[in-house]
Amino acid sequence: MTPRSRPIALDEVSKAIIEQLQEDGRRSYAEIGKAVGLSEAAVRQRVQKLTDAGVMQVVAVTDPMQLGFYRQAMVGIRVTGDSRVIAQKLSDITAVDYVVLTAGSFDILAEIVCENDDELIELLNERIRRIDGVEATETFVYLKLQKQLYNWGTR
Amino acid sequence: MTPRSRPIALDEVSKAIIEQLQEDGRRSYAEIGKAVGLSEAAVRQRVQKLTDAGVMQVVAVTDPMQLGFYRQAMVGIRVTGDSRVIAQKLSDITAVDYVVLTAGSFDILAEIVCENDDELIELLNERIRRIDGVEATETFVYLKLQKQLYNWGTR
DNA sequence: AGTGAAACGACCGTAGA
DNA sequence: TCTACGGTCGTTTCACT
């Protein structure tokens, strides 16, 4: 969990271990060991270190579509005042699964996952635009997700 | 892996199992069973079903910052021609970890993960803007990631 | 869909190179 | 940081509800 100022130098073996776990997060250490040419204990120690260092995490990810959330959108937001306060309020909305403070013509980008267009409209009008300091929003409705890798960085 | 047109109705127990695995993807079925009040075998069967149905996946996610990728940005792209072709070309760039086709004033949103500003500038000028049909780009440099949940939906 | 039991395999701590 | 090994715990299969 230690945040670092210098990047952790990963050797080829650790990269291979991470790749194994990106394919299947529940693959056994023994099996990974066979694939990367290391003993079960060594793999376990490396995974422990990578996890403790905050380089990697093994988690469940869900598919919104399979759960009935057919509508996703990215909302670009221009604000006045403290963008951190507004970002926090956005984070409190369940349907908002991603919030990032940005530099550019938007101060915040927020991703929304919801069931349908009605819910999206309601979220925009009743929740997001009502937050104090939200000056303008621009919505980009998702048509097709083309590529998604799992990187992680909230702290 | 079966894509469905109707959402899968999850009962409270399955939701609880998914929550357990969102906290720690390597938690044992026995331990999850204790937490949700089910036998180990029953938990395993449910996880198997959820995974096969494509509702959930257990995978490793990495933290770009810890790996030395200090610069992230979202790029909004306006295109002429077939946005699918352009989205595919963007997906082929290693530093691009997220590509989505959108409706709105951008046709495509692409997230970039790179080491520093120089690399970002190079990517924008030498790779992205050189793709045939890319008319205009607008870049939103990440200042702080505030919230990130793991949803998954590429197919 | 669920439980329980027995065989098997994975995981964990520790010792040693 | 790795391998080796033994004890413990998790997983798998199967018979049963």
Side-chain angles (χ1 to χ4, degrees):
Chain A
M1 287 289 189
T2 321
R4 308 202 35 167
S5 52
R6 297 262 185 98
I8 288 161
L10 293 189
D11 61 14
E12 292 309 310
V13 177
S14 287
K15 282 182 193 166
I17 291 172
I18 293 174
E19 272 169 36
Q20 290 283 321
L21 289 169
Q22 281 173 335
E23 282 173 23
D24 177 6
R26 290 195 74 87
R27 193 162 290 171
S28 77
Y29 297 136
E31 200 180 338
I32 295 168
K34 275 178 218 161
V36 307
L38 226 60
S39 71
E40 175 271 328
V43 173
R44 186 158 35 89
Q45 284 163 20
R46 277 177 183 250
V47 170
Q48 188 69 53
K49 268 183 78 174
L50 290 169
T51 307
D52 288 349
V55 170
M56 194 196 76
Q57 233 188 350
V58 177
V59 292
V61 296
T62 54
D63 182 349
M65 288 292 240
Q66 296 287 341
L67 296 171
F69 299 104
Y70 298 117
R71 186 53 87 212
Q72 280 186 269
M74 187 69 79
V75 183
I77 302 170
R78 263 181 291 278
V79 310
T80 52
D82 195 328
S83 62
R84 293 169 298 185
V85 174
I86 296 163
Q88 180 56 56
K89 286 180 185 165
L90 288 163
S91 300
D92 293 339
I93 301 172
T94 312
V96 173
D97 70 339
Y98 188 79
V99 177
V100 59
L101 307 187
T102 55
S105 68
F106 298 127
D107 302 296
I108 297 173
L109 290 173
E111 193 183 67
I112 292 180
V113 177
C114 60
E115 294 190 15
N116 50 45
D117 289 327
D118 285 340
E119 198 191 336
L120 178 57
I121 294 165
E122 173 145 344
L123 278 161
L124 286 167
N125 289 307
E126 306 289 328
R127 306 287 308 267
I128 294 173
R129 290 195 191 114
R130 286 199 183 177
I131 295 171
D132 246 23
V134 168
E135 288 294 304
T137 67
E138 195 169 341
T139 304
F140 307 95
V141 171
Y142 286 14
L143 300 175
K144 182 178 165 51
L145 191 48
Q146 169 83 24
K147 181 179 187 180
Q148 173 150 351
L149 293 182
Y150 299 108
N151 289 316
W152 152 58
T154 328
R155 221 163 301 274
Chain B
M1 287 290 189
T2 320
R4 306 202 34 168
S5 53
R6 297 264 184 95
I8 289 161
L10 294 187
D11 60 14
E12 292 310 310
V13 177
S14 288
K15 283 182 192 166
I17 291 172
I18 292 174
E19 272 169 34
Q20 291 282 322
L21 289 170
Q22 281 172 334
E23 283 173 23
D24 177 6
R26 290 195 74 86
R27 194 162 290 169
S28 76
Y29 297 134
E31 200 180 336
I32 295 168
K34 274 178 218 160
V36 307
L38 225 60
S39 73
E40 178 274 327
V43 173
R44 187 156 36 81
Q45 278 170 204
R46 278 176 183 251
V47 170
Q48 188 69 52
K49 270 180 83 168
L50 290 168
T51 307
D52 289 349
V55 171
M56 195 196 75
Q57 234 186 347
V58 176
V59 292
V61 298
T62 54
D63 182 350
M65 288 292 239
Q66 297 288 342
L67 296 171
F69 299 103
Y70 297 117
R71 186 52 87 213
Q72 279 185 270
M74 187 69 79
V75 183
I77 303 170
R78 263 180 291 278
V79 310
T80 52
D82 195 330
S83 62
R84 292 169 298 182
V85 174
I86 296 164
Q88 180 56 56
K89 287 180 184 166
L90 289 163
S91 300
D92 293 338
I93 301 172
T94 313
V96 173
D97 70 339
Y98 188 79
V99 177
V100 59
L101 306 187
T102 55
S105 68
F106 298 127
D107 301 296
I108 297 174
L109 290 173
E111 191 183 66
I112 293 181
V113 178
C114 60
E115 295 191 14
N116 49 47
D117 290 327
D118 285 341
E119 198 191 338
L120 178 57
I121 294 165
E122 173 146 341
L123 278 162
L124 286 167
N125 289 306
E126 307 288 328
R127 306 287 308 268
I128 294 173
R129 289 194 192 117
R130 285 200 185 176
I131 295 170
D132 247 23
V134 168
E135 287 294 303
T137 67
E138 195 169 341
T139 305
F140 307 95
V141 171
Y142 286 14
L143 300 175
K144 182 176 165 54
L145 192 48
Q146 169 85 23
K147 180 179 186 180
Q148 173 150 347
L149 293 182
Y150 300 109
N151 288 317
W152 151 58
T154 327
R155 222 161 301 274

